[in-house]
């Protein structure tokens, strides 16, 4: 289901995953990166994405951003005049984009593990801050297979790797982690199984943050 400029589907409860209203999305968007440390993380993430797009040097990429959330990376893609489609399982996130972005791109309600697009529909699939919420390799692989299926060329995906720093801080804080981390060996194995190869990898903050951002190339069949 596509959200056009003046076309809004009925608000169904099944679409309200994570956020239950547009107001809830707004509260999250205003608070998530409010603190200084998180603002720094967000700044670095955006810089890494700009670095990756500079590597590609393509002027007319067709990009699928899923899950696009409240549209945090949309301005980066729009400044480069890419053909962008934002997709998310949450209706209210897409409605929030429609209300707040100056020129909101087409938006699609979609499950990343069952994408409603034909194979090779995009030049690049963008998947950020999602895989760390999956508990099993099977869940990650199902997602990777779909991202690989609908892209013709590239994918940009973030993942969290085990690090000594996070082990120590987790032990000191005695707090359960909200994300799942995997080893680089496990990750490379999953990429190979799903038909991707690593073109470039970017640690967000080496030794101090577990997040890594990967530019992947689709392996020709």
């Amino acid at each position: 289901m596509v959200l056009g400029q003046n076309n809004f589907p009925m608000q169904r409860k099944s679409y309200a995953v994570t956020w239950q209203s547009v107001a809830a999305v707004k509260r999250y968007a205003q608070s998530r990166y409010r603190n200084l440390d998180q603002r720094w993380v967000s700044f670095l993430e955006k810089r890494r994405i700009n670095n990756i797009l500079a590597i590609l040097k393509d002027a007319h990429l067709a990009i699928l951003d899923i899950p696009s959330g409240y549209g945090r990376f949309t301005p980066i893609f729009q400044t480069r005049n890419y053909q962008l489609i934002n997709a998310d399982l949450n209706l209210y996130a897409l409605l929030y984009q429609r209300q707040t972005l100056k020129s909101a791109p087409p938006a699609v309600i979609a499950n990343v593990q069952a994408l409603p697009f034909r194979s090779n529909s995009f030049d690049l699939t963008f998947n950020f801050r999602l895989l760390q919420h999956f508990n099993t390799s099977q869940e990650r692989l199902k997602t990777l297979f779909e991202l690989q299926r609908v892209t013709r060329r590239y994918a940009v995906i973030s993942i969290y790797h085990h690090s000594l720093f996070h082990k120590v801080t987790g032990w000191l804080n005695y707090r359960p982690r909200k994300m799942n981390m995997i080893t680089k060996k496990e990750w490379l194995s999953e990429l190979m199984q799903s038909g991707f190869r690593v073109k470039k990898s970017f640690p967000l903050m080496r030794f101090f943050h577990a997040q890594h951002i990967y530019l992947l190339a689709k392996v020709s069949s």
Side-chain angles (χ1 to χ4, degrees):
M1 183 179 297
V2 179
L3 303 181
Q5 291 292 339
N6 299 301
N7 179 29
F8 295 91
M10 293 180 62
Q11 297 185 11
R12 291 171 50 186
K13 186 176 180 180
S14 60
Y15 296 144
V17 179
T18 305
W19 298 299
Q20 304 297 315
S21 67
V22 173
V25 182
K26 181 179 180 180
R27 287 193 296 270
Y28 179 88
Q30 292 177 340
S31 64
R32 177 62 179 87
Y33 296 99
R34 181 176 55 192
N35 295 334
L36 181 61
D37 61 333
Q38 289 303 311
R39 289 205 305 269
W40 179 243
V41 166
S42 182
F43 168 79
L44 289 177
E45 288 175 339
K46 291 177 180 179
R47 188 168 73 174
R48 297 289 185 268
I49 299 308
N50 274 313
N51 291 342
I52 289 173
L53 296 177
I55 291 173
L56 297 181
K57 298 179 181 179
D58 289 313
H60 303 289
L61 290 177
I63 297 179
L64 172 66
D65 180 359
I66 182 167
S68 59
Y70 62 85
R72 185 160 66 102
F73 294 99
T74 297
I76 291 177
F77 298 133
Q78 289 180 323
T79 56
R80 294 174 179 268
N81 296 316
Y82 293 148
Q83 300 173 42
L84 176 65
I85 290 182
N86 281 351
D88 204 285
L89 192 60
N90 188 280
L91 168 65
Y92 302 113
L94 301 179
L95 292 175
Y96 176 82
Q97 294 178 26
R98 188 66 57 202
Q99 293 179 14
T100 58
L101 296 176
K102 291 182 179 180
S103 180
V108 179
I109 297 170
N111 186 333
V112 71
Q113 295 184 343
L115 293 172
F117 304 105
R118 294 180 179 177
S119 298
N120 303 311
S121 293
F122 302 93
D123 296 301
L124 185 148
T125 48
F126 184 80
N127 183 263
F128 212 82
R129 284 184 174 265
L130 176 68
L131 293 186
Q132 70 265 23
H133 297 296
F134 294 153
N135 295 316
T136 66
S137 176
Q138 183 179 9
E139 290 176 293
R140 290 191 298 271
L141 280 170
K142 191 172 182 180
T143 299
L144 290 172
F145 278 125
E146 277 295 273
L147 295 173
Q148 191 267 5
R149 180 182 66 81
V150 301
T151 187
R152 289 186 288 269
R153 304 167 67 187
Y154 306 114
V156 174
I157 300 177
S158 70
I159 191 75
Y160 279 65
H161 291 314
H162 290 291
S163 70
L164 179 60
F165 177 79
H166 278 77
K167 288 182 180 179
V168 172
T169 55
W171 177 76
L172 292 174
N173 291 331
Y174 297 102
R175 290 187 302 178
R177 295 205 174 277
K178 295 182 180 180
M179 78 281 289
N180 294 296
M181 301 187 189
I182 64 173
T183 65
K184 288 187 178 181
K185 183 178 180 179
E186 291 173 314
W187 175 237
L188 293 176
S189 174
E190 291 175 0
L191 290 178
M192 184 173 62
Q193 292 177 64
S194 59
F196 280 123
R197 63 177 177 84
V198 176
K199 188 175 178 68
K200 190 75 174 179
S201 65
F202 297 82
L204 189 67
M205 286 187 284
R206 195 180 301 274
F207 307 120
F208 292 102
H209 201 285
Q211 187 182 34
H212 286 65
I213 303 169
Y214 283 83
L215 170 60
L216 306 173
K218 182 173 182 175
V219 178
S220 301
S221 57

